[in-house]
Amino acid sequence: MRKIVVVDYLKDWDVPLEDVEVIEAQSYLTDTVYTDIRNARIFNLCRSYKYQSAGYYVSLLAEARGHKSIPSVTTMQDLKSPTIVRAITVEINELIQKSLASLRSKSFTLSIYFGQNVAQKYEKLCKQLHDLFQAPLLRAQFVFKDEWVLQSISPIPVTEIPEHHWRYVKSFAKAYFARHRFSGARITRKTYDLAILIDPDEKEPPSNKKAIQNFMDEADSQGFYVELITKDDYRRLPEFDALFIRETTAVNHHTYKFARKAFTDGLAVIDDPVSILRCTNKVYLAELLAKAKVPTPKTMIIHKDNKDAVEAELGLPCVLKKPDSSFSQGVVKAKDRESLQQELNLMLADSELIIGQEFLPTDYDWRIGVLDKQPLYACKYFMAKGHWQIYNWEGKKQDTAGDVETIPFEDVPFSVLHTALKAANLIGNGLYGVDVKEIDGKAYIIEVNDNPSIEAGCEDKILKKNLYASIIKSIKRRIDNHKNIRTNE
């Protein structure tokens, strides 16, 4: 497997390593030579993993391209949350106490370079932390409060490695990159029961109150104890065996924290954290769909170096999308050259990369619901009144969304159904809503949603209660699979 170290600037990493190439982040993000590599492991040594930074996109696009990334985007998100850090490290508490027992201070910083430390006595602790949080360079901050507590763990920018540590870093790096396997630690599960995460104050939730009640009734009939929870119930997650998220998801949001903690604790989760990461970022989706040759409107990943080529590439009008847009928010239509430049400047000020697509007008979008890699429902979502999208957040309240028509599968064009399944199955085996445009008999994927709308009176018009039953049965199977895995370990 090809090994590639990615840095912001080549001067950041001048350690010669056998069979390892070093490139700059901008090259990996924009040079098509790296798009078509089949087997590659990407070691991300960028200075920052901040959301939507170049370092973040290196790992995100690596996953979209089928490359193995260290750290993964999931690890990046874990490192940002002290709560997730403590939940993940609870199993090594005894090792933490034993390793730090001789210290007399009330705080301690442990630098972890490729799974090792300059002091050999911390070798076991460094290895365990590195296995739990797979990143090349880590800084763990401990504080003493009755016992030693891991307060935070964060990446170390290569530019912040002390000069007197570099000889160790070089030695550790050579040993690290000579390895053939890079596997993480397993995390065990804890409990059983169903929690449905909602936001009672959300104006346009993915499921209306009647649908939520249908889910609860169906779960009850299948032998579940089911409880509605909110963001205030984060610490209660270990009480449950499964988490079903019925609140609009985002990466920098408590819904992702809930999904990730539930996954870490071994709960069955819909939406799972990997699906949230993959679906909520349009840059990842664009790269993933292009790699798999799934038809989409003509698409380009826009950055500061190619923004002047957008008009020539996509024409006008064209559609611009923020990477984490959802429910038509953060999506704009640039009608002319002036509005194009204005919107590009605004979006690129927030994110290193954004998405541009050719404008394909249609009267409606297809929405294909997919569960466990099989079609669940099919709808036509008509455009909001007087608008080019299915949602118009600036219109009158009664005109916010267009009409919905639920369609039997036998009346859905084969190309629409086939293309939607192909796109969704690239993401995973969860619950997805795939938006498709059909033009002249050809289907084009607009996006894949990890948290699709399921509302009483809309998506359930054909299957009725069987729609809710199918989703609850899927959750039950996931719980049983977790139990079987535990039994066989």
Side-chain angles (χ1 to χ4, degrees):
M1 181 176 282
R2 192 165 167 182
K3 298 177 183 178
I4 302 175
V5 169
V6 181
V7 291
D8 286 297
Y9 304 100
L10 292 179
K11 65 181 181 180
D12 289 349
W13 187 258
D14 61 354
V15 181
L17 298 165
E18 188 175 354
D19 297 325
V20 177
E21 56 186 297
V22 182
I23 64 172
E24 292 187 345
Q26 192 69 5
S27 296
Y28 184 75
L29 294 176
T30 62
D31 194 332
T32 55
V33 72
Y34 298 105
T35 303
D36 298 325
I37 299 173
R38 289 197 174 183
N39 295 310
R41 189 173 295 280
I42 306 302
F43 300 90
N44 186 348
L45 296 184
C46 289
R47 298 179 182 184
S48 172
Y49 299 147
K50 184 180 177 183
Y51 185 58
Q52 295 188 355
S53 66
Y56 178 87
Y57 279 116
V58 165
S59 288
L60 188 74
L61 294 193
E63 293 181 23
R65 294 168 182 174
H67 301 165
K68 305 296 183 182
S69 175
I70 298 179
S72 66
V73 177
T74 300
T75 297
M76 291 178 181
Q77 293 300 125
D78 288 349
L79 292 171
K80 291 165 58 177
S81 171
T83 308
I84 291 178
V85 166
R86 284 193 287 274
I88 290 176
T89 57
V90 67
E91 294 180 5
I92 63 167
N93 184 59
E94 185 177 340
L95 177 61
I96 291 173
Q97 306 313 318
K98 183 177 178 181
S99 301
L100 307 184
S102 62
L103 296 175
R104 295 291 175 261
S105 62
K106 294 294 184 181
S107 62
F108 177 65
T109 301
L110 181 67
S111 297
I112 306 168
Y113 305 127
F114 301 101
Q116 299 189 62
N117 181 260
V118 297
Q120 195 170 3
K121 63 180 178 179
Y122 300 120
E123 179 181 357
K124 288 184 178 179
L125 181 57
C126 286
K127 183 181 185 305
Q128 286 292 316
L129 288 171
H130 175 263
D131 284 347
L132 290 169
F133 303 96
Q134 287 240 317
L137 308 171
L138 292 167
R139 179 182 292 122
Q141 302 280 1
F142 296 90
V143 294
F144 189 83
K145 301 175 181 178
D146 298 325
E147 66 174 3
W148 285 103
V149 175
L150 179 60
Q151 188 176 48
S152 66
I153 186 165
S154 57
I156 302 176
V158 289
T159 52
E160 293 183 14
I161 298 174
E163 188 64 35
H164 62 286
H165 281 188
W166 266 104
R167 66 186 182 96
Y168 297 100
V169 172
K170 291 178 180 180
S171 175
F172 298 157
K174 288 178 181 178
Y176 177 83
F177 285 103
R179 292 163 53 187
H180 296 290
R181 299 187 65 185
F182 297 83
S183 58
R186 289 188 177 184
I187 303 167
T188 58
R189 71 184 304 283
K190 297 179 181 179
T191 53
Y192 200 90
D193 284 331
L194 176 62
I196 300 179
L197 178 63
I198 64 168
D199 177 1
D201 299 322
E202 187 172 3
K203 292 182 179 179
E204 297 289 338
S207 289
N208 55 18
K209 290 182 180 180
K210 178 60 177 174
I212 293 295
Q213 188 60 53
N214 289 341
F215 279 121
M216 296 181 70
D217 291 343
E218 188 55 47
D220 181 71
S221 71
Q222 292 190 34
F224 279 85
Y225 167 78
V226 59
E227 184 176 340
L228 300 182
I229 64 171
T230 70
K231 64 180 181 181
D232 296 328
D233 294 306
Y234 182 79
R235 294 184 182 276
R236 295 186 54 220
L237 275 177
E239 299 174 19
F240 300 93
D241 185 62
L243 172 67
F244 183 31
I245 300 176
R246 286 286 83 197
E247 179 181 353
T248 303
T249 53
V251 174
N252 280 356
H253 192 251
H254 66 264
T255 48
Y256 178 83
K257 286 178 61 180
F258 269 73
R260 182 56 183 156
K261 176 169 172 53
F263 182 83
T264 298
D265 286 347
L267 279 69
V269 189
I270 295 178
D271 313 328
D272 64 272
V274 174
S275 292
I276 294 174
L277 284 171
R278 291 176 174 177
C279 288
T280 55
N281 194 288
K282 301 300 183 288
V283 172
Y284 177 92
L285 275 176
E287 190 81 7
L288 185 72
L289 296 173
K291 183 79 173 177
K293 294 181 169 47
V294 176
T296 65
K298 191 172 185 180
T299 301
M300 66 183 292
I301 297 176
I302 303 170
H303 47 84
K304 62 181 181 180
D305 294 333
N306 71 349
K307 67 176 185 177
D308 292 335
V310 174
E311 182 180 350
E313 185 76 14
L314 303 178
L316 290 173
C318 66
V319 178
L320 303 177
K321 299 181 179 181
K322 291 182 178 179
D324 50 3
S325 56
S326 63
F327 289 98
S328 299
Q329 299 183 77
V331 180
V332 298
K333 182 172 70 172
K335 299 178 181 179
D336 50 40
R337 187 172 298 173
E338 183 179 353
S339 63
L340 173 64
Q341 292 304 315
Q342 182 179 357
E343 295 295 346
L344 284 173
N345 291 335
L346 285 172
M347 289 188 176
L348 289 172
D350 292 333
S351 178
E352 291 273 347
L353 305 175
I354 62 173
I355 288 295
Q357 286 186 327
E358 66 174 322
F359 178 54
L360 297 180
T362 55
D363 292 334
Y364 59 85
D365 287 350
W366 284 98
R367 164 67 63 84
I368 306 299
V370 179
L371 175 67
D372 294 331
K373 299 198 171 187
Q374 297 296 322
L376 182 64
Y377 62 84
C379 293
K380 288 180 179 179
Y381 287 1
F382 289 85
M383 301 304 153
K385 185 177 180 180
H387 196 57
W388 61 280
Q389 295 170 288
I390 61 175
Y391 292 100
N392 181 9
W393 300 109
E394 297 178 358
K396 295 179 180 179
K397 186 176 181 180
Q398 67 270 21
D399 297 330
T400 298
D403 293 333
V404 179
E405 182 182 348
T406 311
I407 307 294
F409 286 132
E410 57 266 27
D411 294 336
V412 179
F414 173 80
S415 63
V416 170
L417 200 58
H418 174 76
T419 307
L421 283 173
K422 185 176 181 180
N425 293 349
L426 291 171
I427 302 296
N429 65 345
L431 173 63
Y432 309 109
V434 187
D435 292 341
V436 187
K437 284 187 181 292
E438 183 198 13
I439 299 176
D440 296 330
K442 186 172 181 180
Y444 300 87
I445 298 297
I446 302 302
E447 61 185 11
V448 182
N449 303 279
D450 67 285
N451 192 250
S453 298
I454 296 178
E455 296 200 329
C458 292
E459 290 78 9
D460 66 355
K461 274 191 175 179
I462 291 177
L463 286 181
K464 301 189 182 328
K465 289 188 176 181
N466 287 333
L467 175 64
Y468 306 96
S470 296
I471 294 170
I472 297 300
K473 285 177 182 176
S474 176
I475 293 173
K476 180 68 164 61
R477 282 195 300 270
R478 292 161 194 265
I479 295 171
D480 290 341
N481 289 339
H482 277 301
K483 290 174 68 177
N484 291 334
I485 291 171
R486 288 270 300 181
T487 301
N488 294 329
E489 284 182 346

